[in-house]
Amino acid sequence: MKILFFSDTHGSCDALERIMELDAELKPDLLAFLGDALYHGPRNEISADYNPRGAAKLFNDIKDKLVAVRGNYDSEVDQVMLEFPLMESYTTIIDGWQRFFLTHGHIWGEQQVPPLPSGTIFASGHTHVARIARGENGIVFLNPGSTTRPKYGAPPSYGLYDGRRLSVLELFTSKEMLSLNLGAAD
């Protein structure tokens, strides 16, 4: 199974159009969205491509491949615009032997991990900081960064799982930023 992870679009049509291009190019089995779909947030400036209505349409265009969780800026009003479930704080995916725990990161995070089996990939967004790391009990943490508002001068990014490896790549160039071979100790 191949999974493309992305998070924190915050109403950006440019970011979603790029995700759709990557979907056509990489042909993942699933698109895993880790929250904060339409709203830009009260602390953020409105970007030039901020268009929540247009972003909702783009999200709906990929709904058949999308698995999504609720971010701290997602609300019931957003759910009215979206044609896929967005209101759960977490979900799980299982690919053969590999278990994924998907959440936004504002409830569950690296410092507040639910009881999970060893080897689970804990995928979250929220911090807008790309990260791949092995934690306690064999948990692997993946944060694909943000497609629209990355922190610390990082480029917009997304994550990719191909069955053997986790990667974080730059959104517009697909240049690899981080990676981890699964099953191999680092």
Side-chain angles (χ1 to χ4, degrees):
M1 178 181 283
K2 187 186 286 186
I3 304 171
L4 188 152
F5 296 88
F6 67 110
S7 187
D8 297 282
T9 52
H10 293 287
S12 169
C13 288
D14 291 349
L16 284 164
E17 287 168 353
R18 178 62 180 149
I19 292 296
M20 293 171 83
E21 289 171 3
L22 289 166
D23 179 39
E25 176 186 325
L26 300 172
K27 300 185 183 345
D29 299 290
L30 287 174
L31 300 172
F33 178 66
L34 303 173
D36 283 354
L38 304 179
Y39 183 49
H40 68 284
R43 293 179 293 180
N44 301 312
E45 297 295 323
I46 296 176
S47 60
D49 70 333
Y50 179 66
N51 179 352
R53 186 176 298 208
K57 181 191 178 318
L58 293 171
F59 267 114
N60 290 336
D61 288 346
I62 57 174
K63 68 184 177 188
D64 292 340
K65 287 183 78 173
L66 198 61
V67 174
V69 293
R70 180 182 192 164
N72 57 310
Y73 287 146
D74 296 322
S75 71
E76 288 81 6
V77 172
D78 299 324
Q79 183 63 82
V80 169
M81 298 289 295
L82 300 170
E83 299 170 359
F84 56 90
L86 178 70
M87 300 311 292
E88 294 299 326
S89 62
Y90 73 91
T91 193
T92 58
I93 298 170
I94 298 176
D95 175 32
W97 59 272
Q98 185 61 68
R99 179 183 303 266
F100 296 85
F101 179 87
L102 280 55
T103 191
H104 181 59
H106 65 295
I107 298 171
W108 299 106
E110 284 191 50
Q111 305 305 315
Q112 181 76 19
V113 180
L116 296 171
S118 179
T120 299
I121 295 174
F122 182 106
S124 65
H126 185 58
T127 65
H128 296 224
V129 177
R131 178 167 164 73
I132 299 175
R134 288 192 191 275
E136 293 181 25
N137 191 30
I139 304 295
V140 174
F141 294 97
L142 167 67
N143 188 321
S146 172
T147 58
T148 57
R149 300 179 189 287
K151 291 189 178 176
Y152 311 117
S157 56
Y158 67 98
L160 192 63
Y161 164 80
D162 70 2
R164 300 175 316 275
R165 177 181 165 106
L166 277 176
S167 304
V168 174
L169 303 107
E170 292 183 13
L171 183 63
F172 292 101
T173 67
S174 291
K175 178 181 173 190
E176 186 173 272
M177 298 167 58
L178 303 166
S179 67
L180 177 70
N181 290 323
L182 300 170
D186 290 328

